[in-house]
Amino acid sequence: MFEDAIGNLSNKVKNTVERGAVRKFADAIGDAHPIFVDEEAGKTSRYGRNIAPPTFPRVFDYGEIAGLELPNKGLIHGEQIYHYERPLLVGEDIHCWTEVKDYKEKAGKSGTMGILSLEGKGEDQGGNLVFRAEQVVIITEAVRRGMEA
Amino acid sequence: MSAIVEKKAGDTLPPVTLPPVTRLDLIKYAGASGDYNPIHTIDDEAEKAGLPGIIAHGMWTMGNLAKLFTPYYEEGFIETYQIRFRGMVFLDDVISLQANVSEQQEDKITFDVSAKNQKDEDVIKGKVVFSLD
């Protein structure tokens, strides 16, 4: 059902690695380490600033992709990969967008499932790629039927 | 804590066992991540989705697992973090986080990583490439 969306890109969205958001996120995963949350520790670190945890890009806005309207319920997250050129720095702006890399349907025991592969990217103010985020989402038969109804 | 750069194939990072998963953990993660899918916080919605109860966000578990590496950021950073979501995490589950060195190169160390529940079942599994750059 999303075959036609393969190759579609979202618009680019500016996101800021906000200090408060990083603190809240680090706390929510039980990892409020000084490298993430203590300003002095950040200054004296090899990065010269606080950094964000590697799964922090989950909070970014990646824009809207034409032809890809996903339900907000019932999706299964199958796989997640992050590739970093360097860690995210607290306070910097990151421009994010996403692309539909692939969509397949596969017959299984509980009906046909859709397998959607998305790739998000984030680049810094200088236009340098900072990270790529690949994601595989499983769309079950029940969810697909709900969307067609 | 010894330096990560000295780790060799077969070595492990100090494992972490999390306290039993609480509803508040998942409410906090929903707020911090912006993932408000109700199967993670509202019993009725989880049941409507055919689940026995609310389940943790896969990304909550993935986020937790990364903390095994946090003490080593003065030596390098996580270059690749690759995870497959294998099983669901329910309230009161006790999750253990593990990282074992699978390969050591001059400028990178590759780890097999996993989070297991109290029944020793993998809930997430994958690998981390730590760059010593």
Side-chain angles (χ1 to χ4, degrees), chain A residues 109-137:
Chain A
K109 269 184 226 154
S110 53
T112 303
M113 26 176 227
I115 302 165
L116 177 69
S117 302
L118 300 171
E119 184 181 64
K121 286 184 182 160
E123 62 183 29
D124 63 17
Q125 278 157 296
N128 306 301
L129 186 72
V130 180
F131 72 88
R132 288 192 295 118
E134 297 171 45
Q135 187 181 356
V136 177
V137 177

Side-chain angles (χ1 to χ4, degrees), chain A residues 15 17 21 24 34 37 41 50 58 65 90 98 122 125 136 139 148:
Chain A
N15 291 270
V17 184
K24 211 165 121 183
V37 301
N50 292 115
R58 180 70 187 79
I65 301 178
V90 169
T98 190
Q125 278 157 296
V136 177
I139 305 165
E148 279 159 7

Side-chain angles (χ1 to χ4, degrees), chain A:
Chain A
M1 73 194 305
F2 292 123
E3 286 84 355
D4 293 346
I6 295 171
N8 286 4
L9 295 170
S10 70
N11 52 308
K12 262 189 203 181
V13 179
K14 183 171 110 173
N15 291 270
T16 303
V17 184
E18 290 168 2
R19 177 170 297 283
V22 168
R23 180 185 299 275
K24 211 165 121 183
F25 189 88
D27 181 50
I29 56 172
D31 197 15
H33 189 276
I35 191 77
F36 302 136
V37 301
D38 181 301
E39 207 163 340
E40 276 311 305
K43 270 184 203 151
T44 56
S45 76
R46 70 192 302 236
Y47 308 101
R49 280 153 89 172
N50 292 115
I51 60 173
T55 57
F56 186 76
R58 180 70 187 79
V59 312
F60 292 151
D61 182 349
Y62 293 84
E64 302 291 324
I65 301 178
L68 191 74
E69 276 168 37
L70 291 173
N72 56 5
K73 280 190 206 174
L75 300 178
I76 297 167
H77 198 168
E79 216 172 310
Q80 180 70 48
I81 306 173
Y82 291 105
H83 293 287
Y84 278 94
E85 301 298 322
R86 61 162 175 84
L88 290 164
L89 304 172
V90 169
E92 73 174 331
D93 288 335
I94 297 287
H95 295 264
C96 299
W97 71 101
T98 190
E99 179 179 357
V100 179
K101 295 301 276 191
D102 198 18
Y103 179 76
K104 281 190 199 106
E105 289 183 355
K106 216 167 98 180
K109 269 184 226 154
S110 53
T112 303
M113 26 176 227
I115 302 165
L116 177 69
S117 302
L118 300 171
E119 184 181 64
K121 286 184 182 160
E123 62 183 29
D124 63 17
Q125 278 157 296
N128 306 301
L129 186 72
V130 180
F131 72 88
R132 288 192 295 118
E134 297 171 45
Q135 187 181 356
V136 177
V137 177
I138 316 287
I139 305 165
T140 62
E141 169 96 20
V143 172
R144 289 173 61 250
R145 267 199 244 115
M147 291 173 70
E148 279 159 7

Side-chain angles (χ1 to χ4, degrees), chain B residues 83-95:
Chain B
I83 282 299
R84 272 174 192 266
F85 299 98
R86 306 285 287 262
M88 291 184 276
V89 173
F90 298 97
L91 288 184
D92 301 323
D93 277 359
V94 176
I95 303 300

Side-chain angles (χ1 to χ4, degrees), chain B residues 8-122:
Chain B
K8 301 275 180 283
D11 287 352
T12 58
L13 296 184
V16 167
T17 299
L18 302 177
V21 177
T22 68
R23 187 178 297 267
L24 190 58
D25 291 334
L26 307 184
I27 292 171
K28 272 169 77 176
Y29 187 78
S33 68
D35 182 348
Y36 290 105
N37 186 330
I39 62 168
H40 303 304
T41 48
I42 301 172
D43 299 311
D44 282 355
E45 292 288 346
E47 281 158 30
K48 261 192 247 167
L51 298 167
I54 60 171
I55 58 167
H57 308 70
M59 291 299 293
W60 175 82
T61 313
M62 185 175 179
N64 269 277
L65 180 54
K67 69 187 166 207
L68 297 183
F69 296 88
T70 308
Y72 305 102
Y73 278 119
E74 283 303 324
E75 293 177 72
F77 63 95
I78 291 178
E79 182 182 271
T80 301
Y81 187 15
Q82 178 180 343
I83 282 299
R84 272 174 192 266
F85 299 98
R86 306 285 287 262
M88 291 184 276
V89 173
F90 298 97
L91 288 184
D92 301 323
D93 277 359
V94 176
I95 303 300
S96 305
L97 311 171
Q98 297 169 9
N100 308 314
V101 179
S102 61
E103 201 186 336
Q104 209 241 20
Q105 294 164 279
E106 205 177 312
D107 56 347
K108 287 181 208 302
I109 309 176
T110 304
F111 293 84
D112 292 324
V113 295
S114 66
K116 291 177 193 290
N117 65 16
Q118 64 278 12
K119 295 175 203 153
D120 207 35
E121 299 160 344
D122 287 322

